[in-house]
Amino acid sequence: MGLERVADGVWLLRGDLRGAMNIYFLEDGDGVVQFDAGTKAMRKAAAEARQLGGLKRVVLGHAHADHRGTAPYLGVPVQCHPDEVADAESPASIQPYMDLSLLPVAPVRWLYPFLLRHWDGGPVKIDSTVSEGDEVAGFEVLHFPGHAPGLIGLWRESDGLAVVSDVVYLVDAARLKPLPEGEASIPHPAFGWDHAKAKESLRRLAALEPRVVATGHDRPLRGDNLRETLERAADKL
Ligand SMILES: [Zn+2]
């Protein structure tokens, strides 16, 4: 299985649809912390990642089906933000606030309910919570509400690395295809809890002036002027 090195002590496992579903492993002492849990189909690959050291716990960036998929299968404590616990523990594969009828392309609109159920690993028992300002494997937890109420990212100021789940998309999820290289977009409102807050959160990420933005889907975004790229994305949709 292929783990890609993102930065010092940070590894990316890509899987499922076009390899666009991401799980991150963060070295933490003698083991690793898993950030985000991808899709159910990735559970075997995620378990094999223990070659990095013992898996200590899973931290969910948010509780959508394609981010919680492996979590019930790994046999370690799972954490998320307090505002995400109810959705993580719910059997629903589609959050009540999602409005898939907003998706512009009909076949994609019809496909998503099946995809979300297929990706989902089912309800996840949350062991404890992490909030703004907490520390996870040398990163600071930041709360980025919008796409989901309890969406969190991890920020490491020393090398400007932000691991942010779905604060920003590098794929066009509404058309199920990649965005042009170097482009970013705000997640489509069809999948989101509060689009105005999602924009605010994306602007907050931009203002950190990150050097690398590692997202929930597709390869990390790197560049000298990510602030501008992210601000443009926040203004687009
Ligand atoms: Zn999501």
Side-chain angles (χ1 to χ4, degrees), residues 62 64 66-67 98 147 151 166 169 191 217:
H62 65 302
H64 290 173
D66 51 328
H67 293 259
M98 286 186 183
H147 176 67
L151 191 144
D166 286 350
Y169 273 173
F191 307 108
H217 306 284

Side-chain angles (χ1 to χ4, degrees), residues 64-119:
H64 290 173
D66 51 328
H67 293 259
R68 72 173 186 176
T70 66
Y73 301 96
L74 299 171
V76 294
V78 183
Q79 298 179 306
C80 70
H81 188 276
D83 296 346
E84 209 60 16
V85 174
D87 284 336
E89 295 193 332
S90 161
S93 301
I94 301 170
Q95 270 63 34
Y97 55 74
M98 286 186 183
D99 183 359
L100 301 176
S101 72
L102 297 175
L103 291 169
V105 180
V108 175
R109 190 160 66 233
W110 301 327
L111 198 57
Y112 257 103
F114 296 99
L115 286 176
L116 287 161
R117 284 187 200 107
H118 175 68
W119 289 333

Side-chain angles (χ1 to χ4, degrees), residues 122-208:
V124 181
K125 164 93 186 64
I126 298 300
D127 189 74
S128 57
T129 58
V130 287
S131 301
E132 173 86 19
D134 286 348
E135 196 242 292
V136 171
F139 287 77
E140 182 187 352
V141 173
L142 299 180
H143 186 203
F144 289 113
H147 176 67
L151 191 144
I152 53 166
L154 302 177
W155 170 238
R156 190 165 70 183
E157 196 169 9
S158 60
D159 61 351
L161 171 61
V163 188
V164 297
S165 199
D166 286 350
V167 174
V168 63
Y169 273 173
L170 306 179
V171 290
D172 184 347
R175 290 173 184 79
L176 286 170
K177 60 178 197 184
L179 287 171
E181 180 85 31
E183 270 190 39
S185 83
I186 188 148
H188 197 279
F191 307 108
W193 168 66
D194 183 323
H195 198 58
K197 284 198 169 68
K199 288 187 173 202
E200 262 173 52
S201 286
L202 182 46
R203 289 197 185 97
R204 183 186 182 202
L205 172 64
L208 294 171

Side-chain angles (χ1 to χ4, degrees), residues 207-220:
L208 294 171
E209 302 195 335
R211 289 200 284 279
V212 181
V213 176
T215 54
H217 306 284
D218 222 327
R219 286 205 164 77

